[in-house]
Amino acid sequence: MKSNIFLRNKHYYLIGLLFLTVNALAINTYSIIPYPQKLSPQIGNFKFDNKTFLSVLTNDVEVLNIAVQFETQFNRVTGINLKLTEANSTSKIEFIKTDSAFTNNEAYRLSVSPRLIRIEAASPTGIFYALQTLYQLLPADIYGKNRSDIKKWEIPCVNIEDAPRFSYRGLHLDVCRHFFPVEFIKKYIDAMAIHKLNRFHWHLTDDQGWRIEIKKYPLLTEIGSQRPETLIGHYYENMPQQFDNKLYGGYYTQDEAREIVKYAASKFITVIPEIEMPGHAMAAIAAYPYLSCTQKPLNVATKWGVFDDVFCTRETNFTFLEDVLSEIMAIFPSEYIHIGGDECPKTRWKNCPDCQARIKKLKLKDEHELQSYFIQRIEKFVNAQGRKIIGWDEILEGGLAPNATVMSWRGIDGGIAAAKSGHNVIMTPMSHCYFDFYQAEPATEPTAIGGYVPLIKVYDFEPVPKVLTAEEAKYIIGAQANVWTEYITSASHVEYMAYPRASALSEVLWTNPENKNWTRFSANMLNAFDRFKALDINASKAFFDINAKVSAIPSNIVEVSLRCDNPEAEIRYTIDNSTPDKRSKIYTMPVKLTKTTQFKAQAFQKNTPTGKAFSEKIPVSKATDCSYVTNTKIQGKTPEDKSLTNGM
Ligand code: ACM
Ligand code: ZN
């Protein structure tokens, strides 16, 4: 694992050098994230004023609504009244819905010349995405709630032809470990839409809380949505545990869930609900103890982890689950229903007369085949309603349900196996897509579950494994980042964990590999931070911090390599224990140390310190090889290290 870090950091260092040589690089005028597939800069600007005519050449109500929403927001922030008639206009924004020339339903064309902006697509989705791009060409203030001080509103001329690489571009949110109000869910959806993400995976049920009203089973929310207390601090099995002694709960009514579905649809985002089964079922069992094998009363879980009490395979439970899924499908029109399937211990099934009788009767080999039977039976029910299931990659064990889509989270192997057997796959490997993992130095970050997934690692993610043939690769329909909330208690902390990593993910999912470019992306991030500010999104600022790599080279010398994601950063350092300031030595290449040294460094942008200071006493010995993110060694906290990811 260390060698992985080493290799990566060598890569960082090379990238860092590249940044320094192009340090004068201007911020990209076309700072669009995700970056379009084809963008040709053109000379000149388009200026918006009261003589700009907003022309909508279609009767499509959805397109009209999109145009009206744009006009309303544009007017609120700029004070400019776009004209709705051509008379006396001097420039024009044209919305055109064409029927031809687009093979992808989400594709669009956007051309900006000095007097004309033309937005063209074959679908309202395409028109919506063209507008998201247009917004990003405008100053970030355009996203604000109030009138901006900016007087001149103009955008650079450009020709863009764009369409996504993947059809499934997802972001997940766990509302069970902690609950987030409807208003925040809408804000989360807004941020997704800006990034052209199109699938919101809403994790609605788990051991620590059942969060969706089911009319036929009112106790699911009356009892199952409340836990008597919550674990404080990190969860380690067999270690002393402290609880907060506070009742915690919350759930969404069906009306609220419908409101979210409708809101998301207005932003071309599909909401995919997840109802966990057969594991992660403690909250449901607390409400209706007959659902478990032992049928004994228990509490909604108050700590994190995987629990032995799961849904029994008794016949009554299928009735229960089908009733629940019927209500869920009535709320959520999505093609996919996520049925969980992960982390289901077989302990109770092994000792349950009902489960054992079913194994015998169906001539199943073991409890894994029983789980497979469970999922296949649920799949049949969901398919009969014209829907499809998604399950976590454990659903491969004991035989995959015939039409299931696999969400590969424990790595990419589950995804590879599923694609090879002709099943659709959504890649969400912990190594790159778990946004509950640390993104910066753990010692100075809010407590996270473990792991280490910095921005550049997300950006480097390739959802299609190399081992797949072109034919098999077609089954990788996209990827998704997961935001599990054991250690995320507030909405602003959700944003902190999700952004800017979701920005990087959006480019992974939208932009073809040959059009991806970390140097451009990181330059574009500077404008993205202005957007986060205008949108009041509490994005992490780890982007501005220094990352350090120390490597031992022969003859008792160590080399310190530094990098910063921010391409405008100038790194200055000292080796005399003084605080780096704007007169300190500029870092241009790895620094060699021959004796133990207090090494201090700071990133500056335009002579102003940005990001956290780096200060570390670096010993000189052969054993010095290590990575630092700002101050502290990353101690084995790689995403592959499952011991640090307990409780998911
Ligand atoms: C998972 O993280 N248990 C899907
Ligand atoms: Zn049982």
Side-chain angles (χ1 to χ4, degrees):
M1 271 166 216
K2 205 165 204 183
S3 63
N4 282 347
I5 291 173
F6 179 68
L7 286 172
R8 282 256 32 102
N9 278 279
K10 219 157 144 186
H11 180 191
Y12 292 4
Y13 155 61
L14 289 173
I15 292 167
L17 270 190
L18 192 66
F19 281 167
L20 286 164
T21 55
V22 290
N23 210 6
L25 187 82
I27 293 178
N28 196 326
T29 325
Y30 306 98
S31 65
I32 302 158
I33 298 174
Y35 203 70
Q37 304 294 5
K38 210 164 149 191
L39 184 153
S40 332
Q42 303 291 311
I43 292 170
N45 291 321
F46 178 98
K47 297 181 182 57
F48 296 82
D49 58 31
N50 290 326
K51 288 192 169 179
T52 304
F53 168 40
L54 183 70
S55 159
V56 186
L57 299 174
T58 171
N59 292 326
D60 187 306
V61 178
E62 270 189 285
V63 176
L64 287 168
N65 279 339
I66 295 166
V68 168
Q69 274 169 25
F70 170 72
E71 195 261 336
T72 309
Q73 175 67 8
F74 189 81
N75 176 262
R76 177 190 309 168
V77 173
T78 66
I80 293 169
N81 294 303
L82 296 171
K83 286 172 73 68
L84 301 178
T85 57
E86 186 139 32
N88 299 324
S89 64
T90 51
S91 61
K92 179 155 83 165
I93 311 169
E94 205 168 60
F95 287 68
I96 304 169
K97 187 170 163 238
T98 54
D99 290 331
S100 58
F102 291 102
T103 48
N104 187 315
N105 182 53
E106 296 181 300
Y108 70 89
R109 227 176 270 136
L110 170 67
S111 65
V112 180
S113 55
R115 289 179 182 277
L116 177 67
I117 295 175
R118 176 174 286 156
I119 289 169
E120 211 179 335
S123 68
T125 321
I127 301 273
F128 180 79
Y129 287 148
L131 262 186
Q132 300 319 305
T133 299
L134 180 66
Y135 269 109
Q136 294 197 16
L137 293 171
L138 285 160
D141 276 18
I142 196 65
Y143 291 101
K145 287 196 170 74
N146 304 314
R147 183 76 163 265
S148 160
D149 294 334
I150 295 173
K151 297 280 179 295
K152 246 173 44 180
W153 288 89
E154 50 186 57
I155 57 172
C157 292
V158 69
N159 287 331
I160 291 173
E161 278 184 51
D162 205 7
R165 177 181 178 200
F166 292 106
S167 62
Y168 189 110
R169 304 183 299 279
L171 193 60
H172 149 289
L173 184 63
D174 166 12
V175 294
C176 302
R177 276 54 179 262
H178 287 99
F179 177 76
F180 306 96
V182 168
E183 278 320 300
F184 175 68
I185 303 295
K186 287 184 180 171
K187 192 179 174 208
Y188 197 66
I189 285 168
D190 289 344
M192 286 179 66
I194 287 162
H195 290 85
K196 304 185 177 90
L197 295 169
N198 66 353
R199 299 287 182 268
F200 172 48
H201 172 172
W202 205 3
H203 184 79
L204 285 166
T205 73
D206 214 303
D207 299 305
Q208 297 81 5
W210 184 284
R211 307 264 176 244
I212 178 77
E213 176 190 24
I214 301 294
K215 301 218 190 257
K216 195 161 181 183
Y217 300 97
L219 299 186
L220 284 173
T221 43
E222 260 173 55
I223 292 172
S225 76
Q226 306 265 342
R227 58 179 183 253
E229 57 186 3
T230 304
L231 180 79
I232 298 172
H234 242 135
Y235 172 70
Y236 291 110
E237 232 163 308
N238 308 322
M239 296 276 275
Q241 291 165 1
Q242 249 197 316
F243 293 84
D244 66 1
N245 208 18
K246 283 188 202 139
L247 190 69
Y248 187 91
Y251 69 91
Y252 307 98
T253 65
Q254 294 201 354
D255 283 346
E256 286 172 330
R258 283 199 173 87
E259 187 185 325
I260 293 292
V261 168
K262 194 166 160 220
Y263 186 79
S266 77
K267 311 242 159 183
F268 299 88
I269 290 171
T270 303
V271 184
I272 298 174
E274 180 180 356
I275 304 296
E276 272 271 21
M277 63 190 79
H280 289 291
M282 292 270 281
I285 295 167
Y288 297 100
Y290 76 82
L291 296 169
S292 77
C293 288
T294 66
Q295 309 198 36
K296 288 197 183 122
L298 48 72
N299 279 332
V300 175
T302 56
K303 59 186 180 186
W304 325 124
V306 173
F307 299 89
D308 284 340
D309 285 291
V310 301
F311 289 126
C312 178
T313 62
R314 217 173 283 122
E315 201 53 33
T316 44
N317 283 6
F318 287 102
T319 309
F320 166 84
L321 288 168
E322 289 174 9
D323 289 343
V324 167
L325 288 170
S326 296
E327 292 196 30
I328 290 293
M329 285 188 273
I331 304 166
F332 297 94
S334 56
E335 177 192 15
Y336 284 121
I337 303 295
H338 201 305
I339 51 81
D342 61 321
E343 299 180 317
C344 178
K346 308 296 185 289
T347 327
R348 295 285 183 264
W349 288 3
K350 281 187 178 143
N351 296 308
C352 169
D354 293 314
C355 289
Q356 290 305 314
R358 193 180 283 280
I359 288 179
K360 221 164 163 187
K361 186 170 152 215
L362 298 173
K363 298 194 172 56
L364 302 175
K365 203 168 84 206
D366 56 16
E367 289 72 23
H368 291 294
E369 288 199 356
L370 184 58
Q371 159 138 350
S372 176
Y373 163 82
F374 189 114
I375 300 292
Q376 295 200 28
R377 188 161 162 179
I378 293 293
E379 177 182 69
K380 246 189 223 138
F381 177 76
V382 171
N383 286 171
Q385 323 293 315
R387 313 292 185 92
K388 295 180 184 160
I389 64 161
I390 301 177
W392 299 109
D393 58 51
E394 286 93 329
I395 67 168
L396 282 152
E397 293 160 9
L400 192 48
N403 306 310
T405 291
V406 171
M407 216 167 235
S408 189
W409 73 279
R410 292 177 297 177
I412 58 171
D413 291 350
I416 292 170
K420 282 189 178 292
S421 60
H423 286 261
N424 281 344
V425 172
I426 298 151
M427 284 293 188
T428 69
M430 283 194 286
S431 55
H432 295 77
C433 295
Y434 267 44
F435 289 0
D436 55 338
F437 282 12
Y438 285 104
Q439 58 194 312
E441 181 226 333
T444 59
E445 285 290 295
T447 302
I449 201 156
Y452 182 53
V453 179
L455 186 68
I456 195 168
K457 184 148 193 187
V458 179
Y459 194 80
D460 273 355
F461 179 48
E462 170 47 53
V464 178
K466 283 199 178 66
V467 296
L468 297 182
T469 64
E471 211 35 54
E472 291 162 351
K474 288 185 189 145
Y475 291 105
I476 312 291
I477 60 171
Q480 170 178 293
N482 298 332
V483 184
W484 302 103
T485 58
E486 286 91 339
Y487 300 96
I488 304 177
T489 59
S490 70
S492 73
H493 193 185
V494 170
E495 292 179 340
Y496 181 88
M497 299 307 275
Y499 290 95
R501 288 185 287 188
S503 309
L505 181 77
S506 78
E507 199 150 306
V508 167
L509 289 171
W510 183 278
T511 312
N512 290 343
E514 64 274 19
N515 297 327
K516 275 177 68 196
N517 178 328
W518 165 259
T519 307
R520 181 201 62 221
F521 172 80
S522 55
N524 289 349
M525 277 310 303
L526 290 165
N527 277 0
F529 278 103
D530 290 342
R531 283 180 214 128
F532 294 143
K533 196 163 169 216
L535 287 157
D536 193 27
I537 292 173
N538 179 37
S540 157
K541 301 277 178 17
F543 179 83
F544 298 96
D545 295 343
I546 287 174
N547 295 247
K549 159 89 180 79
V550 177
S551 31
I553 55 176
S555 320
N556 258 4
I557 295 176
V558 300
E559 268 192 352
V560 184
S561 310
L562 305 174
R563 61 168 284 275
C564 178
D565 286 346
N566 175 8
E568 299 236 321
E570 199 167 55
I571 300 175
R572 292 176 184 268
Y573 70 96
T574 63
I575 51 171
D576 61 0
N577 208 19
S578 64
T579 304
D581 61 22
K582 59 188 182 188
R583 290 178 304 276
S584 304
K585 202 160 178 180
I586 296 180
Y587 173 85
T588 54
M589 58 193 293
V591 180
K592 287 186 173 48
L593 302 177
T594 51
K595 60 177 200 290
T596 296
T597 303
Q598 188 68 37
F599 193 97
K600 295 187 177 181
Q602 173 71 56
F604 290 81
Q605 192 171 348
K606 298 192 180 80
N607 285 332
T608 304
T610 50
K612 294 177 196 134
F614 174 85
S615 177
E616 191 73 29
K617 191 169 186 174
I618 297 175
V620 172
S621 85
K622 287 203 182 66
T624 304
D625 263 14
C626 61
S627 292
Y628 298 83
V629 181
T630 63
N631 285 346
T632 304
K633 283 186 212 179
I634 304 282
Q635 291 165 327
K637 288 192 174 175
T638 65
E640 292 79 7
D641 190 344
K642 265 293 277 175
S643 66
L644 287 148
T645 63
N646 53 35
M648 283 181 299

